[in-house]
Amino acid sequence: MSPRVLAALSRPTIGHLDPEFQALMEDIKAALQRLMGAPDHACIPLPAPGTAGMEAAIMNLLEPGDRAVIAVNGAFGGRMADMAGRAGAEVVTVEDEWGKPVDPAKVEEALKAAPTKVLAFVHAETSTGARSDAAALCKLARQYGALSIVDTVTSLGGIPVDAAAWDADAIYSGTQKCLSAPPGLSPFALSKRAQAAIAARKEKPRNWLCDFGLLMSYWGGEGGRTYHHTAPINALYGLHESLVLLFEEGQQAAYVRHARMHEALAAGLEAAGLKLLVDAEHRLPQLNAVLVPDGIDEAAVRTHVLKAWDLEIGAGLGPLKGKVWRIGLMGASATPWHVRLCLTALCEALAAQGFKVNGAEVLKAADAKLA
Ligand SMILES: *Cc1c(COP(=O)(O)O)cnc(C)c1O
């Protein structure tokens, strides 16, 4: 996190119906509309982590008996399918191999088969580092009369998210990935079409805290605010500051920075003789899944870099457990310093296990992309 976000978090806590706080709420709503490319969506931060955004989208848009097509190409798609089942929906999953993007042709087959209420997918799959084509998938949803739910927890702030251009219905994110604010809030956007679908529900959504209609009585602002829950005031100061920082840098500039840091890291990894899991054209800049070479104790490498360099590298999840390391270059950690730190630490940990690697050459390859 930026020191400015940390400082914002420690500002005095005021009341959640204080006029000053209400002005901050309006600022945050407008900033989220701008960041998500969603001028006509209702945009609010939900008072819980990214998973709450996922649950809010699923519980508000699905009713018992509705058909939901859920693309699963990693851990988070699987979580959406579990939730849709709990909402009472008839769940059809479209599976792709972990490390591959969602295949639009398979999704189309599933949508063609029967009338579908919701198509849900993950834009940036954090468990694998694969990026799916959100524009194409949202377009398919429109074509077959389904509402789209897009998980942008890891994409928002790191690669373009454009709700209007995609014509997406529900988009949710998290604060602790590329926004570099603390965990605990979920930026959420809902289209007019999705709002109309909620208004036309036969029964109330089965969640109370993130029932969209109830939330808007507090966040909507028209005709005064009524108490719904006590907003996490200080966390919202932190989110606000992280959005100010992002707009100071410029959204496009932030995307370019993430892309450049990824190129530098990938060049260094390649010079070290390591390979990435995902094909170059579908790689996320902010999440790099690196294949563990044969004969290397992957957990020992993570322990080494954590103890010696105070650097945490993510482990593989699900079928990728023990097979990959996951290196995040998100928000405030997408910098040349972090790229060089990570490569240096990784080379040292690999060398400690007898892996032949020339640290100076690795840094040279990365630096060539940073020049
Ligand atoms: C992190 C993440 C989530 C869950 O967010 P939490 O803040 O951990 O609840 C959901 N989807 C994706 C793609 C994520 O990376």
Side-chain angles (χ1 to χ4, degrees):
M1 275 192 278
S2 151
R4 273 175 55 186
V5 172
L6 287 172
L9 289 166
S10 65
R11 284 181 200 145
T13 307
I14 58 175
H16 72 111
L17 292 173
D18 186 305
E20 285 296 330
F21 184 67
Q22 295 187 22
L24 188 88
M25 290 167 89
E26 291 305 311
D27 267 12
I28 291 174
K29 282 159 62 178
L32 290 179
Q33 283 185 317
R34 180 169 159 195
L35 178 60
M36 295 171 134
D40 296 325
H41 287 59
C43 292
I44 58 173
L46 304 182
T51 304
M54 184 189 288
E55 194 162 80
I58 300 235
M59 294 299 168
N60 280 285
L61 295 185
L62 285 171
E63 292 194 68
D66 285 343
R67 185 172 191 266
V69 172
I70 317 257
V72 180
N73 64 334
F76 293 103
R79 185 177 292 188
M80 289 208 271
D82 184 4
M83 284 183 186
R86 290 169 193 232
E90 177 207 329
V91 181
V92 177
T93 57
V94 175
E95 313 260 345
D96 279 292
E97 203 182 311
W98 287 43
K100 301 275 186 245
V102 173
D103 180 352
K106 284 199 238 169
V107 167
E108 182 161 17
E109 281 304 303
L111 289 172
K112 241 183 214 163
T116 303
K117 180 78 171 289
V118 157
L119 165 66
F121 64 93
V122 179
H123 181 213
E125 193 32 274
T126 324
S127 59
T128 67
R131 165 194 199 143
S132 291
D133 187 343
L137 292 167
C138 289
K139 191 169 169 204
L140 281 175
R142 291 297 336 116
Q143 202 176 320
Y144 290 91
L147 297 166
S148 53
I149 297 179
V150 191
D151 178 317
T152 64
V153 176
T154 279
S155 35
L156 195 66
I159 54 175
V161 166
D162 198 334
W166 299 344
D167 200 6
D169 290 299
I171 287 191
Y172 60 87
S173 190
T175 40
Q176 78 277 26
K177 306 272 167 80
C178 295
L179 298 183
S180 282
L185 295 172
S186 176
F188 188 76
L190 209 59
S191 72
K192 294 216 160 74
R193 195 164 46 227
Q195 292 172 49
I198 293 172
R201 285 179 65 100
K202 293 194 265 318
E203 62 170 56
K204 291 178 184 176
R206 292 184 173 188
N207 56 341
W208 196 92
L209 177 61
C210 292
D211 172 314
F212 184 74
L214 296 180
L215 273 172
M216 289 313 278
S217 67
Y218 178 50
W219 274 93
E222 298 93 13
R225 290 191 156 80
T226 52
Y227 168 69
H228 171 253
H229 66 278
T230 309
I233 307 289
N234 291 59
L236 289 161
Y237 295 160
L239 170 61
H240 183 269
E241 191 66 16
S242 74
L243 294 169
V244 169
L245 276 164
L246 190 64
F247 294 135
E248 278 178 9
E249 178 182 12
Q251 275 170 257
Q252 297 302 325
Y255 302 147
V256 170
R257 172 168 56 84
H258 280 87
R260 281 187 65 226
M261 295 312 125
H262 161 74
E263 280 170 22
L265 181 74
L269 292 169
E270 195 182 317
L274 299 169
K275 292 197 161 41
L276 289 167
L277 170 73
V278 179
D279 295 338
E281 63 202 296
H282 304 301
R283 274 177 205 159
L284 289 170
Q286 62 272 54
L287 195 291
N288 299 268
V290 184
L291 293 166
V292 177
D294 286 342
I296 294 294
D297 178 344
E298 74 84 21
V301 167
R302 285 187 289 112
T303 304
H304 182 114
V305 302
L306 184 60
K307 287 213 170 120
W309 294 88
D310 201 17
L311 174 72
E312 189 184 359
I313 288 180
L317 301 172
L320 296 176
K321 189 172 189 295
K323 297 194 175 131
V324 298
W325 294 297
R326 292 179 308 130
I327 300 176
L329 291 172
M330 300 184 183
S333 74
T335 74
W337 186 85
H338 288 90
V339 170
R340 300 181 99 254
L341 169 77
C342 179
L343 289 170
T344 304
L346 196 56
C347 287
E348 185 186 274
L350 286 166
Q353 291 190 36
F355 188 82
K356 290 268 174 298
V357 59
N358 180 338
E361 287 300 319
V362 167
L363 283 184
K364 211 170 123 189
D367 287 345
K369 299 284 184 185
L370 295 168

